[in-house]
Amino acid sequence: MLPWRRLLRQLAVLALTAAALVAPTGTAQAASAPSSGWNNWSCKPSAAHPRPVVLVHGTFGNSVDNWLGLAPYLVHRGYCVYSLDYGQLPGVPFFHGLGPIDKSAEQLDVFVDKVLAATGSAETDIIGHSQGGMMPRYYLKFLGGAPKVNALIGLAPDNHGTDLLGFTKLLPYFPGAEHLISTATPGLADQIAGSAFQNKLNAGGDTVPGVKYTVIATRYDQVVTPYQSQFLSGPDVRNVVLQDLCVLDFSEHVAIGLTDRIAWHEALNALDPAHAERTTCASVFD
């Protein structure tokens, strides 16, 4: 990259970061919202937003840290919002999403039933970051979740696994490495492109009938690579590249879920497509 282009990119990042800081944040406005926050089990969905939203964190994330930005953003806009911890390993606090993904999907199954019972809703919408955007597909496909979910929105989801910039292709050259990863952190092994889990998840098609799918990816993803592996094929699928919405947005894998209001705005459109507003660089101020 030429020096002036590198400088332009850095300036753009600074500008969008500054805009996000001065824009009215969901956290700051939550105090004036009718709800006290997310995971409010007395929250009842409104006619305008009749479905609760379940947030599913990524690998090494948890139900709080992954959603300190997006959850208040949605609550302030009138949604009942819930998040869960999943994929815990014995003796490993705080960092979740490391257990076998099929078992994590079972935890999501239980949690969605709890949310629907509390809210009296027939369906929910799911927004997931990274593994959290991919794991619910197992729930939809194999655990009977499809009738309970209207839409699945993935922020940088590893829908077809990742090669981690090609590093996973080197594992066969290190004897015992693959076995160690599978044994110690099965949730990581399940996310490697070509794993048995990925092959099962994607066999016979990416989607199930009755669910709307949105994938929001970034060209600068350094974790789920190549970034095109995030895209889904099938009916009721919309694949979005963040930079097609705002060329100045250089968010990478983590930022797209934790701080990127442009990605959040597009997720909001997917939650309520009937009232969608065009997502641009200016959406950082919304």
Side-chain angles (χ1 to χ4, degrees):
M1 181 182 294
L2 295 176
W4 67 269
R5 290 185 178 175
R6 187 180 299 112
L7 177 61
L8 180 62
R9 174 175 170 177
Q10 292 170 345
L11 289 174
V13 171
L14 289 173
L16 286 176
T17 301
L21 291 174
V22 301
T25 65
T27 303
Q29 296 179 356
S32 62
S35 170
S36 61
W38 86 94
N39 281 339
N40 174 7
W41 294 97
S42 63
C43 184
K44 297 300 179 184
S46 65
H49 304 304
R51 293 178 299 276
V53 179
V54 173
L55 302 178
V56 187
H57 65 74
T59 309
F60 295 112
N62 60 60
S63 61
V64 176
D65 292 350
N66 212 136
W67 306 120
L68 291 173
L70 180 56
Y73 178 93
L74 295 173
V75 167
H76 177 70
R77 285 154 179 81
Y79 288 89
C80 293
V81 181
Y82 303 88
S83 62
L84 76 156
D85 287 319
Y86 71 86
Q88 300 92 332
L89 290 179
V92 181
F94 308 117
F95 302 107
H96 304 318
L98 298 173
I101 296 181
D102 57 349
K103 299 301 181 184
S104 294
E106 293 176 5
Q107 292 179 278
L108 176 63
D109 185 10
V110 172
F111 189 80
V112 167
D113 285 349
K114 180 181 177 182
V115 169
L116 294 180
T119 59
S121 303
E123 290 182 311
T124 187
D125 292 315
I126 296 177
I127 301 177
H129 180 209
S130 191
Q131 180 188 164
M134 173 270 292
M135 177 269 280
R137 292 180 49 227
Y138 190 95
Y139 162 62
L140 299 176
K141 195 169 186 178
F142 298 108
L143 301 180
K148 304 173 187 177
V149 177
N150 170 69
L152 171 60
I153 303 159
L155 304 173
D158 50 347
N159 280 316
H160 296 93
T162 177
D163 66 6
L164 277 177
L165 296 172
F167 290 140
T168 60
K169 296 178 182 178
L170 300 177
L171 288 175
Y173 298 98
F174 296 88
E178 290 180 277
H179 177 73
L180 177 62
I181 294 173
S182 298
T183 302
T185 54
L188 293 180
D190 286 346
Q191 295 178 74
I192 295 175
S195 69
F197 175 85
Q198 289 292 331
N199 290 339
K200 178 180 178 180
L201 177 64
N202 294 303
D206 292 345
T207 64
V208 295
V211 180
K212 304 175 184 69
Y213 296 82
T214 300
V215 173
I216 305 174
T218 171
R219 289 192 176 96
Y220 301 105
D221 201 311
Q222 79 285 31
V223 176
V224 181
T225 57
Y227 75 87
Q228 295 93 336
S229 68
Q230 301 173 29
F231 297 157
L232 295 172
S233 298
D236 290 321
V237 169
R238 183 165 184 258
N239 296 309
V240 181
V241 178
L242 196 56
Q243 288 70 37
D244 291 340
L245 306 175
C246 174
V247 69
L248 298 178
D249 194 326
F250 295 102
S251 291
E252 40 63 68
H253 183 79
V254 175
I256 194 174
L258 271 61
T259 62
D260 196 312
R261 293 172 67 91
I262 296 169
W264 300 349
H265 187 274
E266 189 62 16
L268 199 67
N269 284 341
L271 289 176
D272 189 8
H275 299 93
E277 298 180 357
R278 183 171 173 238
T279 301
T280 68
C281 294
S283 299
V284 72
F285 297 105
D286 289 346

